[in-house]
Amino acid sequence: MTSKDFSLRGKTQILFVISRFLDGGIDTVLVELLKNLVRNSSTLHGTLVIANKMAGKEVFIDQIPTDVEVRYLVDEPWLLWYKRWKLDGHHSRLLSFLDEVFLNPIRRIRQRRRFRRLQRQADVVIDMDSRAMSIIDWSQLTLNIAYYHFSFQHMVTRHPHYMRRVAKGLAHYDYVVSISKEMAEEGIRLFPWLREKLVTIYNGVRRDHLLRLAAEEVAHPMWFRLSRQGYMLAVERLEESQKDLTTLIEAYALLSQRMHSIPHLVVLGEGNDRELLQKLINQHGLQEHIHLLGFTQNPYPWMKQAQLLVHSSKFEGLPTVLIEALMLGKQMVASDCPTGPREILADGKAGVLVPVGDAEALANAMYAVLTDVALQERLRAGVRAQATLFQPRENILKLLELLGEDV
């Protein structure tokens, strides 16, 4: 491993950088990292640096520990109005072009200048979504660590030229944290120059905290009926480019033809493809059985009560929702996508894996887990054995070692 020789003056000053702070898996990983790494350490001081302020879209902002500073690199509404408008599901090719040509250069200049002022006072930069490589001053004596959250292989297949640039940019960091072993193996195979920099650190989930949240009351008007009639659950952003809820809806339609009394399907999450997915639900006549309930800050009571958790992504990094379901002892069916589900579910011992995009295989797996008692018992045993891998302590210790902290 390579490492920079940097001196620590009092507390180690860490900049946690993220391009935007929304409601996705990377954002929840960051919140847990701040809680477990900074709040419980007397030798670390953290500042969360958010490149673009997304105003009311920052749903987890109140979960940031109070001793962590929050700084924005760009917060002027006139520079961010199109990005915020786009998050509401709007799109315009003309406005996108104008934003890219006229406003984006201004944003980039401000981000670079403001970040480098912050970097002068820092010992460590942790780039949480590998998007800060263009604003970091590599000549400064900070320890620079990037987190990478997606399958290298999938991204190379979809965006080969872009990913080659990204991989060359990642070579500037001292360490690149992959969040699954499979992802690290992909990175080494595709980009050999990253071999000495790649480190695997799992996303940790605090089971005690999760159980407290899962015990909270639910105020949603449909909770009473659904919790008594029974339901399956998906917790996903409504973004078809990655999450592939279309296949899940098609699988549910097939399953509804096989089961006389089928559990409802609840989807917790928000995103640009809500309208498209609702149209598909209506086309199948399933609007009384499939419910897009939007985003909720606490999905864990829903998860705890669900008969089955279903995950249908095309690609991932290390899907936190599957780790959370492990902690809650849930039955699971997941697409065998790169990367993460197979690793989390112990090659199928802790949950059933199905091919990506195969609605029939997904329907068959859902039926089996809902009806086969022997299968349910085998999966429960696998879940209990696997959950211990994702406790925060061991993974925080690995990160502390990278930071040069005594452990």
Short mmCIF file of all heavy atoms in Angstrom, two decimals, residues 61-110:
data_model
loop_
_atom_site.label_atom_id
_atom_site.label_comp_id
_atom_site.label_asym_id
_atom_site.label_seq_id
_atom_site.Cartn_x
_atom_site.Cartn_y
_atom_site.Cartn_z
N ILE A 61 -30.23 15.39 6.33
CA ILE A 61 -29.34 16.40 6.88
C ILE A 61 -29.45 16.52 8.39
O ILE A 61 -28.46 16.80 9.08
CB ILE A 61 -29.60 17.78 6.20
CG1 ILE A 61 -28.41 18.72 6.41
CG2 ILE A 61 -30.90 18.39 6.66
CD1 ILE A 61 -27.18 18.34 5.67
N ASP A 62 -30.63 16.26 8.94
CA ASP A 62 -30.79 16.38 10.40
C ASP A 62 -30.22 15.17 11.14
O ASP A 62 -30.19 15.16 12.37
CB ASP A 62 -32.26 16.56 10.77
CG ASP A 62 -33.15 15.41 10.34
OD1 ASP A 62 -32.69 14.58 9.52
OD2 ASP A 62 -34.30 15.33 10.81
N GLN A 63 -29.75 14.16 10.40
CA GLN A 63 -29.12 13.00 11.04
C GLN A 63 -27.60 13.15 11.17
O GLN A 63 -26.94 12.30 11.76
CB GLN A 63 -29.46 11.73 10.26
CG GLN A 63 -30.94 11.37 10.27
CD GLN A 63 -31.21 10.03 9.64
OE1 GLN A 63 -30.39 9.13 9.67
NE2 GLN A 63 -32.39 9.88 9.04
N ILE A 64 -27.07 14.23 10.59
CA ILE A 64 -25.63 14.47 10.71
C ILE A 64 -25.31 14.79 12.17
O ILE A 64 -25.97 15.64 12.78
CB ILE A 64 -25.19 15.64 9.81
CG1 ILE A 64 -25.54 15.36 8.35
CG2 ILE A 64 -23.70 15.92 9.96
CD1 ILE A 64 -24.88 14.15 7.78
N PRO A 65 -24.32 14.13 12.77
CA PRO A 65 -23.98 14.43 14.17
C PRO A 65 -23.69 15.92 14.36
O PRO A 65 -23.10 16.58 13.49
CB PRO A 65 -22.71 13.59 14.41
CG PRO A 65 -22.83 12.46 13.44
CD PRO A 65 -23.49 13.03 12.23
N THR A 66 -24.09 16.46 15.50
CA THR A 66 -23.99 17.90 15.73
C THR A 66 -22.55 18.39 15.80
O THR A 66 -22.30 19.57 15.58
CB THR A 66 -24.71 18.27 17.04
OG1 THR A 66 -24.17 17.48 18.12
CG2 THR A 66 -26.21 18.00 16.93
N ASP A 67 -21.60 17.49 16.09
CA ASP A 67 -20.21 17.92 16.16
C ASP A 67 -19.51 17.83 14.81
O ASP A 67 -18.29 18.05 14.72
CB ASP A 67 -19.44 17.12 17.20
CG ASP A 67 -19.58 15.62 17.03
OD1 ASP A 67 -20.41 15.20 16.20
OD2 ASP A 67 -18.86 14.87 17.71
N VAL A 68 -20.25 17.53 13.75
CA VAL A 68 -19.71 17.53 12.39
C VAL A 68 -20.17 18.81 11.69
O VAL A 68 -21.37 19.07 11.58
CB VAL A 68 -20.18 16.30 11.59
CG1 VAL A 68 -19.75 16.40 10.13
CG2 VAL A 68 -19.64 15.02 12.22
N GLU A 69 -19.21 19.62 11.25
CA GLU A 69 -19.56 20.82 10.50
C GLU A 69 -20.08 20.44 9.11
O GLU A 69 -19.68 19.42 8.55
CB GLU A 69 -18.33 21.72 10.32
CG GLU A 69 -17.73 22.26 11.59
CD GLU A 69 -16.51 23.10 11.28
OE1 GLU A 69 -16.66 24.14 10.57
OE2 GLU A 69 -15.41 22.72 11.71
N VAL A 70 -20.97 21.27 8.56
CA VAL A 70 -21.47 21.07 7.20
C VAL A 70 -21.14 22.32 6.39
O VAL A 70 -21.50 23.43 6.78
CB VAL A 70 -22.99 20.81 7.18
CG1 VAL A 70 -23.49 20.65 5.73
CG2 VAL A 70 -23.34 19.57 8.00
N ARG A 71 -20.43 22.14 5.29
CA ARG A 71 -20.06 23.25 4.41
C ARG A 71 -20.50 22.94 2.98
O ARG A 71 -20.34 21.81 2.51
CB ARG A 71 -18.54 23.47 4.45
CG ARG A 71 -17.97 23.70 5.84
CD ARG A 71 -18.35 25.04 6.41
NE ARG A 71 -17.67 26.11 5.69
CZ ARG A 71 -16.47 26.59 6.02
NH1 ARG A 71 -15.80 26.05 7.04
NH2 ARG A 71 -15.92 27.59 5.35
N TYR A 72 -21.03 23.96 2.32
CA TYR A 72 -21.42 23.83 0.91
C TYR A 72 -20.43 24.58 0.03
O TYR A 72 -20.01 25.69 0.36
CB TYR A 72 -22.82 24.40 0.69
CG TYR A 72 -23.92 23.62 1.39
CD1 TYR A 72 -24.41 24.04 2.63
CD2 TYR A 72 -24.45 22.48 0.81
CE1 TYR A 72 -25.40 23.33 3.28
CE2 TYR A 72 -25.45 21.76 1.45
CZ TYR A 72 -25.92 22.19 2.67
OH TYR A 72 -26.91 21.49 3.31
N LEU A 73 -20.09 23.97 -1.10
CA LEU A 73 -19.21 24.64 -2.05
C LEU A 73 -19.99 25.55 -2.99
O LEU A 73 -19.51 26.61 -3.38
CB LEU A 73 -18.40 23.61 -2.85
CG LEU A 73 -17.53 22.67 -2.02
CD1 LEU A 73 -16.79 21.70 -2.94
CD2 LEU A 73 -16.54 23.45 -1.16
N VAL A 74 -21.19 25.13 -3.35
CA VAL A 74 -22.08 25.97 -4.17
C VAL A 74 -23.46 25.91 -3.54
O VAL A 74 -24.05 24.83 -3.42
CB VAL A 74 -22.16 25.48 -5.63
CG1 VAL A 74 -23.14 26.33 -6.43
CG2 VAL A 74 -20.79 25.50 -6.30
N ASP A 75 -23.98 27.05 -3.11
CA ASP A 75 -25.32 27.09 -2.53
C ASP A 75 -26.20 28.18 -3.12
O ASP A 75 -27.34 28.38 -2.69
CB ASP A 75 -25.26 27.24 -1.01
CG ASP A 75 -24.51 28.49 -0.57
OD1 ASP A 75 -24.09 29.27 -1.44
OD2 ASP A 75 -24.35 28.67 0.65
N GLU A 76 -25.67 28.91 -4.12
CA GLU A 76 -26.44 30.00 -4.74
C GLU A 76 -27.59 29.43 -5.59
O GLU A 76 -27.35 28.63 -6.51
CB GLU A 76 -25.54 30.85 -5.64
CG GLU A 76 -24.44 31.60 -4.89
CD GLU A 76 -23.17 30.79 -4.72
OE1 GLU A 76 -23.21 29.56 -4.92
OE2 GLU A 76 -22.13 31.39 -4.38
N PRO A 77 -28.84 29.79 -5.32
CA PRO A 77 -29.97 29.24 -6.06
C PRO A 77 -29.87 29.43 -7.57
O PRO A 77 -30.28 28.54 -8.34
CB PRO A 77 -31.17 30.01 -5.48
CG PRO A 77 -30.74 30.39 -4.10
CD PRO A 77 -29.27 30.68 -4.22
N TRP A 78 -29.33 30.56 -8.02
CA TRP A 78 -29.30 30.80 -9.46
C TRP A 78 -28.33 29.86 -10.17
O TRP A 78 -28.49 29.57 -11.37
CB TRP A 78 -28.93 32.25 -9.75
CG TRP A 78 -27.52 32.65 -9.39
CD1 TRP A 78 -27.07 33.05 -8.17
CD2 TRP A 78 -26.39 32.69 -10.26
NE1 TRP A 78 -25.73 33.35 -8.22
CE2 TRP A 78 -25.28 33.14 -9.49
CE3 TRP A 78 -26.19 32.42 -11.61
CZ2 TRP A 78 -24.01 33.31 -10.03
CZ3 TRP A 78 -24.93 32.57 -12.15
CH2 TRP A 78 -23.86 33.02 -11.38
N LEU A 79 -27.36 29.31 -9.44
CA LEU A 79 -26.44 28.36 -10.05
C LEU A 79 -26.96 26.93 -10.01
O LEU A 79 -26.47 26.06 -10.74
CB LEU A 79 -25.09 28.40 -9.32
CG LEU A 79 -24.13 29.53 -9.69
CD1 LEU A 79 -22.93 29.54 -8.75
CD2 LEU A 79 -23.67 29.37 -11.14
N LEU A 80 -27.97 26.68 -9.17
CA LEU A 80 -28.43 25.31 -8.95
C LEU A 80 -29.88 25.09 -9.34
O LEU A 80 -30.40 23.98 -9.17
CB LEU A 80 -28.24 24.93 -7.47
CG LEU A 80 -26.79 24.88 -7.00
CD1 LEU A 80 -26.73 24.79 -5.48
CD2 LEU A 80 -26.06 23.70 -7.62
N TRP A 81 -30.55 26.11 -9.88
CA TRP A 81 -32.00 25.99 -10.08
C TRP A 81 -32.33 24.84 -11.04
O TRP A 81 -33.30 24.10 -10.82
CB TRP A 81 -32.57 27.30 -10.61
CG TRP A 81 -32.18 27.62 -12.03
CD1 TRP A 81 -31.11 28.35 -12.44
CD2 TRP A 81 -32.85 27.20 -13.22
NE1 TRP A 81 -31.07 28.41 -13.81
CE2 TRP A 81 -32.12 27.71 -14.32
CE3 TRP A 81 -34.00 26.45 -13.46
CZ2 TRP A 81 -32.50 27.48 -15.64
CZ3 TRP A 81 -34.38 26.22 -14.79
CH2 TRP A 81 -33.64 26.74 -15.86
N TYR A 82 -31.53 24.64 -12.11
CA TYR A 82 -31.87 23.57 -13.06
C TYR A 82 -31.64 22.20 -12.43
O TYR A 82 -32.46 21.29 -12.61
CB TYR A 82 -31.04 23.69 -14.34
CG TYR A 82 -31.35 22.55 -15.31
CD1 TYR A 82 -32.56 22.52 -15.99
CD2 TYR A 82 -30.45 21.50 -15.49
CE1 TYR A 82 -32.88 21.46 -16.84
CE2 TYR A 82 -30.75 20.45 -16.35
CZ TYR A 82 -31.96 20.43 -17.02
OH TYR A 82 -32.28 19.38 -17.85
N LYS A 83 -30.57 22.03 -11.69
CA LYS A 83 -30.31 20.75 -11.03
C LYS A 83 -31.43 20.41 -10.05
O LYS A 83 -31.86 19.26 -9.95
CB LYS A 83 -28.96 20.78 -10.32
CG LYS A 83 -27.76 20.67 -11.26
CD LYS A 83 -26.47 20.54 -10.49
CE LYS A 83 -25.31 20.20 -11.41
NZ LYS A 83 -25.42 18.86 -11.98
N ARG A 84 -31.90 21.40 -9.31
CA ARG A 84 -33.00 21.16 -8.36
C ARG A 84 -34.29 20.86 -9.11
O ARG A 84 -35.06 19.97 -8.71
CB ARG A 84 -33.17 22.38 -7.46
CG ARG A 84 -31.98 22.62 -6.53
CD ARG A 84 -32.14 23.92 -5.75
NE ARG A 84 -31.01 24.15 -4.85
CZ ARG A 84 -30.86 25.24 -4.11
NH1 ARG A 84 -31.77 26.21 -4.17
NH2 ARG A 84 -29.81 25.39 -3.33
N TRP A 85 -34.54 21.57 -10.19
CA TRP A 85 -35.75 21.37 -11.00
C TRP A 85 -35.74 19.97 -11.60
O TRP A 85 -36.76 19.27 -11.65
CB TRP A 85 -35.77 22.44 -12.09
CG TRP A 85 -36.98 22.47 -12.96
CD1 TRP A 85 -38.25 22.80 -12.61
CD2 TRP A 85 -37.03 22.19 -14.37
NE1 TRP A 85 -39.10 22.75 -13.69
CE2 TRP A 85 -38.37 22.38 -14.79
CE3 TRP A 85 -36.08 21.83 -15.31
CZ2 TRP A 85 -38.77 22.20 -16.12
CZ3 TRP A 85 -36.47 21.65 -16.64
CH2 TRP A 85 -37.80 21.82 -17.02
N LYS A 86 -34.56 19.51 -12.04
CA LYS A 86 -34.43 18.18 -12.63
C LYS A 86 -34.72 17.08 -11.62
O LYS A 86 -35.27 16.02 -11.97
CB LYS A 86 -33.02 18.03 -13.20
CG LYS A 86 -32.82 16.80 -14.07
CD LYS A 86 -31.42 16.80 -14.68
CE LYS A 86 -31.19 15.54 -15.51
NZ LYS A 86 -29.82 15.51 -16.09
N LEU A 87 -34.35 17.31 -10.36
CA LEU A 87 -34.64 16.32 -9.32
C LEU A 87 -36.13 16.11 -9.10
O LEU A 87 -36.55 15.07 -8.58
CB LEU A 87 -33.98 16.73 -7.99
CG LEU A 87 -32.49 16.45 -7.85
CD1 LEU A 87 -32.00 16.98 -6.52
CD2 LEU A 87 -32.19 14.97 -7.98
N ASP A 88 -36.94 17.07 -9.49
CA ASP A 88 -38.39 16.94 -9.38
C ASP A 88 -38.98 16.18 -10.56
O ASP A 88 -40.21 16.09 -10.69
CB ASP A 88 -39.04 18.33 -9.29
CG ASP A 88 -38.76 19.01 -7.97
OD1 ASP A 88 -38.71 18.29 -6.95
OD2 ASP A 88 -38.59 20.24 -7.95
N GLY A 89 -38.12 15.64 -11.42
CA GLY A 89 -38.60 14.84 -12.54
C GLY A 89 -38.73 15.59 -13.84
O GLY A 89 -39.20 15.04 -14.84
N HIS A 90 -38.33 16.86 -13.88
CA HIS A 90 -38.42 17.66 -15.10
C HIS A 90 -37.16 17.47 -15.94
O HIS A 90 -36.10 17.14 -15.43
CB HIS A 90 -38.58 19.14 -14.75
CG HIS A 90 -39.72 19.42 -13.83
ND1 HIS A 90 -41.04 19.20 -14.17
CD2 HIS A 90 -39.75 19.88 -12.54
CE1 HIS A 90 -41.82 19.52 -13.15
NE2 HIS A 90 -41.06 19.94 -12.15
N HIS A 91 -37.31 17.71 -17.23
CA HIS A 91 -36.15 17.63 -18.11
C HIS A 91 -36.38 18.46 -19.35
O HIS A 91 -37.49 18.49 -19.90
CB HIS A 91 -35.85 16.18 -18.52
CG HIS A 91 -34.63 16.05 -19.37
ND1 HIS A 91 -33.36 16.28 -18.89
CD2 HIS A 91 -34.49 15.74 -20.69
CE1 HIS A 91 -32.49 16.10 -19.87
NE2 HIS A 91 -33.15 15.77 -20.97
N SER A 92 -35.35 19.14 -19.77
CA SER A 92 -35.39 19.93 -21.00
C SER A 92 -34.01 19.86 -21.64
O SER A 92 -33.00 20.20 -21.00
CB SER A 92 -35.76 21.39 -20.70
OG SER A 92 -35.43 22.23 -21.80
N ARG A 93 -33.93 19.41 -22.88
CA ARG A 93 -32.64 19.33 -23.55
C ARG A 93 -32.01 20.72 -23.70
O ARG A 93 -30.80 20.87 -23.52
CB ARG A 93 -32.81 18.69 -24.93
CG ARG A 93 -33.11 17.20 -24.88
CD ARG A 93 -33.13 16.62 -26.28
NE ARG A 93 -33.40 15.18 -26.24
CZ ARG A 93 -33.46 14.41 -27.32
NH1 ARG A 93 -33.27 14.94 -28.52
NH2 ARG A 93 -33.71 13.12 -27.20
N LEU A 94 -32.84 21.70 -24.02
CA LEU A 94 -32.32 23.05 -24.19
C LEU A 94 -31.76 23.58 -22.88
O LEU A 94 -30.64 24.10 -22.82
CB LEU A 94 -33.40 23.98 -24.73
CG LEU A 94 -33.01 25.47 -24.84
CD1 LEU A 94 -31.82 25.63 -25.79
CD2 LEU A 94 -34.20 26.29 -25.30
N LEU A 95 -32.54 23.46 -21.80
CA LEU A 95 -32.10 23.96 -20.51
C LEU A 95 -30.89 23.18 -19.99
O LEU A 95 -29.99 23.76 -19.37
CB LEU A 95 -33.24 23.90 -19.50
CG LEU A 95 -34.41 24.85 -19.76
CD1 LEU A 95 -35.51 24.63 -18.72
CD2 LEU A 95 -33.95 26.30 -19.74
N SER A 96 -30.86 21.88 -20.27
CA SER A 96 -29.71 21.08 -19.88
C SER A 96 -28.45 21.56 -20.60
O SER A 96 -27.38 21.67 -19.98
CB SER A 96 -29.96 19.60 -20.21
OG SER A 96 -28.86 18.81 -19.84
N PHE A 97 -28.58 21.85 -21.88
CA PHE A 97 -27.45 22.36 -22.66
C PHE A 97 -26.98 23.71 -22.11
O PHE A 97 -25.78 23.93 -21.91
CB PHE A 97 -27.86 22.51 -24.13
CG PHE A 97 -26.84 23.19 -24.98
CD1 PHE A 97 -25.72 22.52 -25.43
CD2 PHE A 97 -26.99 24.53 -25.33
CE1 PHE A 97 -24.77 23.16 -26.22
CE2 PHE A 97 -26.05 25.18 -26.11
CZ PHE A 97 -24.93 24.49 -26.56
N LEU A 98 -27.93 24.60 -21.83
CA LEU A 98 -27.57 25.92 -21.31
C LEU A 98 -26.92 25.82 -19.94
O LEU A 98 -25.95 26.54 -19.64
CB LEU A 98 -28.81 26.81 -21.25
CG LEU A 98 -29.44 27.18 -22.60
CD1 LEU A 98 -30.74 27.92 -22.40
CD2 LEU A 98 -28.47 28.01 -23.44
N ASP A 99 -27.45 24.93 -19.10
CA ASP A 99 -26.87 24.74 -17.77
C ASP A 99 -25.44 24.23 -17.89
O ASP A 99 -24.53 24.69 -17.18
CB ASP A 99 -27.72 23.75 -16.98
CG ASP A 99 -27.16 23.48 -15.60
OD1 ASP A 99 -27.29 24.33 -14.72
OD2 ASP A 99 -26.55 22.40 -15.41
N GLU A 100 -25.21 23.27 -18.78
CA GLU A 100 -23.88 22.68 -18.93
C GLU A 100 -22.88 23.68 -19.50
O GLU A 100 -21.73 23.74 -19.05
CB GLU A 100 -23.97 21.44 -19.85
CG GLU A 100 -22.67 20.67 -19.98
CD GLU A 100 -22.24 20.03 -18.68
OE1 GLU A 100 -23.10 19.74 -17.82
OE2 GLU A 100 -21.02 19.82 -18.52
N VAL A 101 -23.32 24.50 -20.44
CA VAL A 101 -22.41 25.42 -21.13
C VAL A 101 -22.12 26.66 -20.29
O VAL A 101 -20.97 27.11 -20.21
CB VAL A 101 -22.98 25.82 -22.50
CG1 VAL A 101 -22.17 26.95 -23.13
CG2 VAL A 101 -23.01 24.61 -23.43
N PHE A 102 -23.15 27.21 -19.61
CA PHE A 102 -22.97 28.50 -18.96
C PHE A 102 -22.82 28.40 -17.43
O PHE A 102 -22.00 29.13 -16.84
CB PHE A 102 -24.15 29.42 -19.29
CG PHE A 102 -24.21 29.80 -20.75
CD1 PHE A 102 -25.14 29.23 -21.59
CD2 PHE A 102 -23.30 30.70 -21.28
CE1 PHE A 102 -25.19 29.55 -22.94
CE2 PHE A 102 -23.34 31.04 -22.63
CZ PHE A 102 -24.28 30.47 -23.46
N LEU A 103 -23.59 27.55 -16.78
CA LEU A 103 -23.58 27.52 -15.32
C LEU A 103 -22.57 26.52 -14.75
O LEU A 103 -21.95 26.78 -13.72
CB LEU A 103 -24.98 27.21 -14.78
CG LEU A 103 -26.06 28.25 -15.11
CD1 LEU A 103 -27.37 27.87 -14.43
CD2 LEU A 103 -25.63 29.64 -14.68
N ASN A 104 -22.43 25.38 -15.41
CA ASN A 104 -21.51 24.36 -14.88
C ASN A 104 -20.07 24.86 -14.76
O ASN A 104 -19.41 24.58 -13.74
CB ASN A 104 -21.57 23.09 -15.73
CG ASN A 104 -20.90 21.93 -15.03
OD1 ASN A 104 -21.15 21.66 -13.86
ND2 ASN A 104 -20.02 21.24 -15.74
N PRO A 105 -19.53 25.60 -15.73
CA PRO A 105 -18.17 26.12 -15.55
C PRO A 105 -18.03 27.02 -14.33
O PRO A 105 -17.00 26.98 -13.63
CB PRO A 105 -17.91 26.89 -16.85
CG PRO A 105 -18.81 26.25 -17.86
CD PRO A 105 -20.04 25.89 -17.09
N ILE A 106 -19.05 27.81 -14.06
CA ILE A 106 -19.01 28.68 -12.87
C ILE A 106 -19.04 27.84 -11.60
O ILE A 106 -18.28 28.10 -10.65
CB ILE A 106 -20.18 29.68 -12.88
CG1 ILE A 106 -20.12 30.56 -14.14
CG2 ILE A 106 -20.16 30.55 -11.63
CD1 ILE A 106 -21.33 31.44 -14.32
N ARG A 107 -19.90 26.81 -11.58
CA ARG A 107 -19.96 25.92 -10.42
C ARG A 107 -18.61 25.26 -10.17
O ARG A 107 -18.13 25.18 -9.04
CB ARG A 107 -21.03 24.84 -10.62
CG ARG A 107 -22.46 25.32 -10.51
CD ARG A 107 -23.43 24.17 -10.35
NE ARG A 107 -23.45 23.29 -11.52
CZ ARG A 107 -24.31 23.38 -12.52
NH1 ARG A 107 -25.23 24.35 -12.51
NH2 ARG A 107 -24.27 22.53 -13.52
N ARG A 108 -17.98 24.77 -11.24
CA ARG A 108 -16.72 24.05 -11.08
C ARG A 108 -15.62 24.97 -10.53
O ARG A 108 -14.83 24.56 -9.67
CB ARG A 108 -16.28 23.46 -12.42
CG ARG A 108 -17.24 22.48 -13.03
CD ARG A 108 -17.57 21.35 -12.11
NE ARG A 108 -16.46 20.47 -11.84
CZ ARG A 108 -16.49 19.47 -10.97
NH1 ARG A 108 -17.57 19.25 -10.23
NH2 ARG A 108 -15.43 18.70 -10.80
N ILE A 109 -15.58 26.20 -11.02
CA ILE A 109 -14.57 27.15 -10.52
C ILE A 109 -14.78 27.42 -9.04
O ILE A 109 -13.84 27.41 -8.24
CB ILE A 109 -14.61 28.46 -11.34
CG1 ILE A 109 -14.10 28.21 -12.77
CG2 ILE A 109 -13.79 29.55 -10.66
CD1 ILE A 109 -14.34 29.37 -13.71
N ARG A 110 -16.03 27.65 -8.64
CA ARG A 110 -16.33 27.92 -7.23
C ARG A 110 -16.03 26.71 -6.35
O ARG A 110 -15.50 26.84 -5.24
CB ARG A 110 -17.78 28.38 -7.09
CG ARG A 110 -18.04 29.71 -7.78
CD ARG A 110 -19.34 30.33 -7.33
NE ARG A 110 -19.52 31.61 -8.01
CZ ARG A 110 -20.34 32.56 -7.61
NH1 ARG A 110 -21.07 32.38 -6.53
NH2 ARG A 110 -20.45 33.69 -8.28
#
